Short mmCIF file of all heavy atoms in Angstrom, two decimals:
data_model
loop_
_atom_site.label_atom_id
_atom_site.label_comp_id
_atom_site.label_asym_id
_atom_site.label_seq_id
_atom_site.Cartn_x
_atom_site.Cartn_y
_atom_site.Cartn_z
N LYS A 182 -6.01 10.01 14.79
CA LYS A 182 -6.43 10.35 16.13
C LYS A 182 -7.06 9.15 16.78
O LYS A 182 -7.48 8.16 16.12
CB LYS A 182 -7.50 11.46 16.11
CG LYS A 182 -6.94 12.81 15.78
CD LYS A 182 -7.96 13.88 16.02
CE LYS A 182 -7.37 15.30 15.85
NZ LYS A 182 -8.44 16.35 16.14
N ASP A 183 -7.18 9.11 18.09
CA ASP A 183 -7.86 8.10 18.85
C ASP A 183 -9.31 8.24 18.65
O ASP A 183 -9.96 9.28 19.01
CB ASP A 183 -7.52 8.18 20.33
CG ASP A 183 -8.14 7.09 21.22
OD1 ASP A 183 -9.27 6.68 20.87
OD2 ASP A 183 -7.43 6.64 22.10
N LEU A 184 -9.95 7.30 17.94
CA LEU A 184 -11.27 7.47 17.47
C LEU A 184 -12.25 7.53 18.62
O LEU A 184 -13.30 8.15 18.68
CB LEU A 184 -11.71 6.41 16.52
CG LEU A 184 -10.88 6.42 15.16
CD1 LEU A 184 -11.37 5.31 14.28
CD2 LEU A 184 -10.92 7.74 14.53
N ALA A 185 -12.02 6.75 19.76
CA ALA A 185 -12.87 6.77 20.91
C ALA A 185 -12.86 8.09 21.64
O ALA A 185 -13.82 8.53 22.23
CB ALA A 185 -12.50 5.62 21.88
N PHE A 186 -11.63 8.70 21.59
CA PHE A 186 -11.46 9.93 22.25
C PHE A 186 -11.93 11.20 21.37
O PHE A 186 -12.25 12.21 21.93
CB PHE A 186 -10.00 10.14 22.66
CG PHE A 186 -9.73 11.26 23.57
CD1 PHE A 186 -10.19 11.20 24.94
CD2 PHE A 186 -8.95 12.37 23.22
CE1 PHE A 186 -9.90 12.21 25.82
CE2 PHE A 186 -8.69 13.38 24.17
CZ PHE A 186 -9.15 13.30 25.42
N HIS A 187 -12.09 10.91 20.11
CA HIS A 187 -12.52 12.06 19.23
C HIS A 187 -13.72 11.49 18.40
O HIS A 187 -13.59 11.23 17.12
CB HIS A 187 -11.35 12.41 18.24
CG HIS A 187 -10.21 12.98 18.97
ND1 HIS A 187 -10.13 14.30 19.32
CD2 HIS A 187 -9.05 12.47 19.44
CE1 HIS A 187 -9.01 14.61 19.92
NE2 HIS A 187 -8.30 13.47 20.03
N PRO A 188 -14.87 11.47 18.98
CA PRO A 188 -16.13 10.94 18.23
C PRO A 188 -16.46 11.79 17.06
O PRO A 188 -17.04 11.27 16.09
CB PRO A 188 -17.21 10.95 19.31
CG PRO A 188 -16.69 11.90 20.32
CD PRO A 188 -15.26 11.78 20.32
N ASP A 189 -16.19 13.08 17.05
CA ASP A 189 -16.43 13.95 15.87
C ASP A 189 -15.61 13.53 14.72
O ASP A 189 -16.05 13.59 13.61
CB ASP A 189 -16.24 15.37 16.23
CG ASP A 189 -14.82 15.70 16.80
OD1 ASP A 189 -14.15 14.72 17.34
OD2 ASP A 189 -14.33 16.88 16.69
N TYR A 190 -14.34 13.12 14.92
CA TYR A 190 -13.48 12.69 13.86
C TYR A 190 -14.02 11.31 13.31
O TYR A 190 -13.95 11.15 12.08
CB TYR A 190 -12.07 12.40 14.52
CG TYR A 190 -10.92 12.18 13.53
CD1 TYR A 190 -10.14 13.23 13.07
CD2 TYR A 190 -10.58 10.85 13.14
CE1 TYR A 190 -9.09 12.97 12.20
CE2 TYR A 190 -9.49 10.64 12.27
CZ TYR A 190 -8.76 11.67 11.81
OH TYR A 190 -7.70 11.49 10.95
N LEU A 191 -14.39 10.43 14.19
CA LEU A 191 -15.04 9.17 13.77
C LEU A 191 -16.24 9.38 12.87
O LEU A 191 -16.41 8.82 11.88
CB LEU A 191 -15.41 8.38 15.03
CG LEU A 191 -16.13 7.06 14.79
CD1 LEU A 191 -15.30 6.03 14.04
CD2 LEU A 191 -16.73 6.52 16.09
N GLN A 192 -17.05 10.37 13.25
CA GLN A 192 -18.29 10.66 12.56
C GLN A 192 -17.96 11.27 11.18
O GLN A 192 -18.58 10.86 10.18
CB GLN A 192 -19.19 11.61 13.29
CG GLN A 192 -20.52 11.87 12.67
CD GLN A 192 -21.48 12.76 13.47
OE1 GLN A 192 -20.99 13.66 14.12
NE2 GLN A 192 -22.76 12.50 13.45
N LYS A 193 -17.04 12.20 11.18
CA LYS A 193 -16.70 12.93 9.91
C LYS A 193 -16.13 12.01 8.83
O LYS A 193 -16.53 12.08 7.70
CB LYS A 193 -15.69 14.07 10.25
CG LYS A 193 -15.33 14.92 8.98
CD LYS A 193 -14.41 15.99 9.41
CE LYS A 193 -14.00 16.80 8.18
NZ LYS A 193 -13.00 17.97 8.58
N TYR A 194 -15.11 11.22 9.26
CA TYR A 194 -14.40 10.48 8.21
C TYR A 194 -14.90 9.02 8.04
O TYR A 194 -14.55 8.43 7.04
CB TYR A 194 -12.88 10.48 8.55
CG TYR A 194 -12.31 11.87 8.47
CD1 TYR A 194 -11.78 12.48 9.52
CD2 TYR A 194 -12.22 12.50 7.22
CE1 TYR A 194 -11.20 13.78 9.44
CE2 TYR A 194 -11.59 13.71 7.02
CZ TYR A 194 -11.21 14.38 8.19
OH TYR A 194 -10.66 15.64 8.05
N TYR A 195 -15.60 8.44 9.02
CA TYR A 195 -15.97 7.09 8.92
C TYR A 195 -17.50 6.82 8.89
O TYR A 195 -17.96 5.92 8.25
CB TYR A 195 -15.28 6.27 10.03
CG TYR A 195 -13.81 6.47 9.93
CD1 TYR A 195 -13.13 7.30 10.82
CD2 TYR A 195 -13.08 5.83 9.02
CE1 TYR A 195 -11.74 7.50 10.70
CE2 TYR A 195 -11.64 5.92 8.87
CZ TYR A 195 -11.03 6.80 9.70
OH TYR A 195 -9.63 6.91 9.64
N GLU A 196 -18.20 7.61 9.63
CA GLU A 196 -19.70 7.45 9.70
C GLU A 196 -20.38 8.24 8.58
O GLU A 196 -21.02 7.66 7.69
CB GLU A 196 -20.22 7.82 11.06
CG GLU A 196 -19.81 6.94 12.18
CD GLU A 196 -20.52 7.42 13.45
OE1 GLU A 196 -21.25 8.34 13.52
OE2 GLU A 196 -20.09 6.74 14.49
N ASN A 197 -20.14 9.50 8.49
CA ASN A 197 -20.81 10.30 7.48
C ASN A 197 -20.40 9.88 6.03
O ASN A 197 -21.08 10.09 5.07
CB ASN A 197 -20.51 11.79 7.65
CG ASN A 197 -21.17 12.35 8.97
OD1 ASN A 197 -21.99 11.65 9.53
ND2 ASN A 197 -20.79 13.55 9.39
N SER A 198 -19.11 9.41 5.96
CA SER A 198 -18.63 8.99 4.60
C SER A 198 -19.03 7.64 4.18
O SER A 198 -18.92 7.20 3.08
CB SER A 198 -17.12 8.99 4.69
OG SER A 198 -16.68 8.06 5.65
N ARG A 199 -19.78 6.94 5.06
CA ARG A 199 -20.31 5.58 4.89
C ARG A 199 -19.25 4.61 4.39
O ARG A 199 -19.47 3.73 3.60
CB ARG A 199 -21.44 5.69 3.81
CG ARG A 199 -22.60 6.56 4.11
CD ARG A 199 -23.72 6.46 3.15
NE ARG A 199 -24.89 7.19 3.54
CZ ARG A 199 -25.98 7.38 2.79
NH1 ARG A 199 -26.05 6.86 1.60
NH2 ARG A 199 -27.07 8.06 3.36
N MET A 200 -18.05 4.74 5.11
CA MET A 200 -17.02 3.91 4.80
C MET A 200 -17.41 2.41 5.13
O MET A 200 -16.90 1.49 4.49
CB MET A 200 -15.79 4.23 5.59
CG MET A 200 -15.01 5.44 5.12
SD MET A 200 -14.20 5.11 3.46
CE MET A 200 -15.17 6.21 2.46
N ASP A 201 -18.26 2.24 6.13
CA ASP A 201 -18.67 0.81 6.49
C ASP A 201 -19.48 0.14 5.40
O ASP A 201 -19.40 -1.01 5.13
CB ASP A 201 -19.51 0.83 7.80
CG ASP A 201 -19.04 -0.26 8.71
OD1 ASP A 201 -17.82 -0.63 8.66
OD2 ASP A 201 -19.87 -0.68 9.51
N GLU A 202 -20.14 1.01 4.55
CA GLU A 202 -20.89 0.45 3.47
C GLU A 202 -19.91 -0.06 2.32
O GLU A 202 -20.19 -1.05 1.65
CB GLU A 202 -21.82 1.48 2.83
CG GLU A 202 -22.98 1.82 3.79
CD GLU A 202 -23.88 2.87 3.21
OE1 GLU A 202 -23.85 3.10 1.96
OE2 GLU A 202 -24.72 3.45 3.93
N GLN A 203 -18.87 0.63 2.18
CA GLN A 203 -17.80 0.18 1.20
C GLN A 203 -17.23 -1.13 1.68
O GLN A 203 -16.97 -2.09 0.88
CB GLN A 203 -16.70 1.27 1.04
CG GLN A 203 -17.18 2.57 0.52
CD GLN A 203 -17.78 2.43 -0.86
OE1 GLN A 203 -17.46 1.53 -1.65
NE2 GLN A 203 -18.70 3.41 -1.20
N ARG A 204 -16.87 -1.24 3.01
CA ARG A 204 -16.36 -2.52 3.53
C ARG A 204 -17.34 -3.65 3.28
O ARG A 204 -16.94 -4.76 2.91
CB ARG A 204 -16.12 -2.31 5.03
CG ARG A 204 -15.58 -3.60 5.72
CD ARG A 204 -15.63 -3.47 7.30
NE ARG A 204 -17.01 -3.08 7.69
CZ ARG A 204 -17.95 -4.01 7.72
NH1 ARG A 204 -17.78 -5.21 7.41
NH2 ARG A 204 -19.21 -3.61 8.17
N ALA A 205 -18.67 -3.33 3.54
CA ALA A 205 -19.63 -4.42 3.39
C ALA A 205 -19.76 -4.92 1.92
O ALA A 205 -20.08 -6.13 1.76
CB ALA A 205 -21.01 -3.88 3.85
N LYS A 206 -19.43 -4.10 0.98
CA LYS A 206 -19.49 -4.54 -0.44
C LYS A 206 -18.53 -5.68 -0.63
O LYS A 206 -18.67 -6.50 -1.54
CB LYS A 206 -19.18 -3.32 -1.39
CG LYS A 206 -20.35 -2.34 -1.38
CD LYS A 206 -19.95 -1.14 -2.33
CE LYS A 206 -21.03 -0.09 -2.30
NZ LYS A 206 -20.63 1.11 -3.19
#
Side-chain angles (χ1 to χ4, degrees):
K182 287 189 172 185
D183 184 323
L184 299 181
F186 194 64
H187 296 277
D189 54 335
Y190 191 93
L191 175 67
Q192 183 178 38
K193 178 178 181 179
Y194 293 114
Y195 302 99
E196 292 182 4
N197 293 348
S198 62
R199 299 184 175 179
M200 284 294 113
D201 227 27
E202 294 181 12
Q203 299 298 337
R204 178 194 55 78
K206 292 177 183 178

